[in-house]
Amino acid sequence: MRILIVEDDKDINRQLANALTQAGYAVDRAFDGAEGQFLGDTEPYDAVVLDMGLPTMDGIAVLQSWRTAGRTMPVLILTARDRWSDKVQGFDAGADDYVAKPFHMEEVLARLRALLRRAAGHATSELICGPVRLDTRSGRVVVDGAAVKLTSHEYRLLSYLMHHTGRVISRGELVEHLYDQDFDRDSNTIEVFIGRLRRKLGVDVIHTVRGLGYRIDAPEAG
């Protein structure tokens, strides 16, 4: 999953980026409203962490711009403003959730997980596909009860596929959602990671759809 952080406080921005990266997300960062608005309008993010009090363009204006343009990614607002009227303004502008500063990082991570889960139609933090279980809270992957150790890139790939179980996902979409803006993107690496995942999982859940991409589904009986 690929997340955009729009926060002008450099320390908070860095702390958020470090925590999200450690949690297995690809992260892009912006430090003012105009830059954040541009990135959110041109890149396919799975979710955005957006500060309200930004230079050049405030968070409400950024959010309204995205929603007017039809951008539907979940947006979690961070703000030092704690009046109920500010919260109402944020939700009316199109925010999906709200955290007031100062905040606990675990709460931000939990709220992001919930937004990503709901956006993909999942009710709990555990994603299940046949014998494969992925706990988005702990980052643990289990197949038939046995833990499977994955690299960060393998985990990102499996997580994205399992958030979209049953849907054919192109290599291009995987590249756009698994890597941050500065990563040297090469769709050929997706095939390498798919091969590694199949070997590590040891079950037939990742299917190649010729000419279109990949789909993850529970293995057929028999």
Side-chain angles (χ1 to χ4, degrees):
M1 295 297 196
R2 188 176 172 197
I3 310 295
L4 172 64
I5 299 169
V6 190
E7 166 63 66
D8 63 311
D9 185 302
K10 292 183 179 180
D11 286 336
I12 294 177
N13 195 311
R14 176 181 50 79
Q15 291 166 14
L16 285 166
N18 289 342
L20 288 171
T21 299
Q22 290 173 10
Y25 299 104
V27 179
D28 289 337
R29 301 195 287 164
F31 295 88
D32 63 64
E35 181 186 15
Q37 189 276 332
F38 175 77
L39 286 174
D41 208 34
T42 56
E43 296 289 334
Y45 294 106
D46 294 292
V48 178
V49 179
L50 176 67
D51 184 34
M52 284 184 75
L54 294 166
T56 70
M57 186 177 184
D58 69 49
I60 294 297
V62 171
L63 183 52
Q64 288 174 333
S65 173
W66 287 338
R67 296 314 192 212
T68 299
R71 303 291 287 163
T72 60
M73 65 280 194
V75 174
L76 172 65
I77 282 183
L78 295 180
T79 182
R81 307 171 190 172
D82 57 1
R83 295 179 303 177
W84 68 266
S85 57
D86 291 320
K87 296 180 182 180
V88 169
Q89 185 183 21
F91 284 124
D92 284 345
D96 297 275
D97 205 351
Y98 190 109
V99 175
K101 298 176 181 177
F103 55 82
H104 292 285
M105 194 62 71
E106 282 303 318
E107 180 183 1
V108 173
L109 292 172
R111 289 181 181 274
L112 269 179
R113 288 194 299 268
L115 290 179
L116 292 167
R117 214 167 51 227
R118 289 199 294 268
H122 296 281
T124 69
S125 62
E126 187 177 54
L127 309 180
I128 302 173
C129 181
V132 182
R133 294 173 176 263
L134 185 152
D135 189 333
T136 60
R137 181 177 48 193
S138 66
R140 191 166 184 257
V141 176
V142 172
V143 178
D144 285 327
V148 177
K149 187 174 182 179
L150 302 178
T151 67
S152 61
H153 283 91
E154 291 164 356
Y155 176 83
R156 287 182 191 177
L157 176 55
L158 180 62
S159 177
Y160 192 81
L161 289 172
M162 290 190 69
H163 271 87
H164 302 91
T165 302
R167 181 164 74 82
V168 178
I169 302 175
S170 69
R171 290 179 179 83
E173 179 178 342
L174 288 171
V175 169
E176 287 180 333
H177 287 266
L178 299 185
Y179 303 127
D180 59 54
Q181 194 179 30
D182 297 328
F183 192 87
D184 183 15
R185 302 177 185 182
D186 181 357
S187 63
N188 292 328
T189 61
I190 295 297
E191 295 182 13
V192 175
F193 288 130
I194 288 287
R196 290 180 184 174
L197 262 182
R198 283 172 168 155
R199 287 192 295 274
K200 288 188 176 183
L201 296 178
V203 289
D204 187 22
V205 293
I206 302 176
H207 310 286
T208 300
V209 182
R210 191 174 299 278
L212 296 176
Y214 302 96
R215 184 187 71 247
I216 191 166
D217 272 320
E220 295 180 4

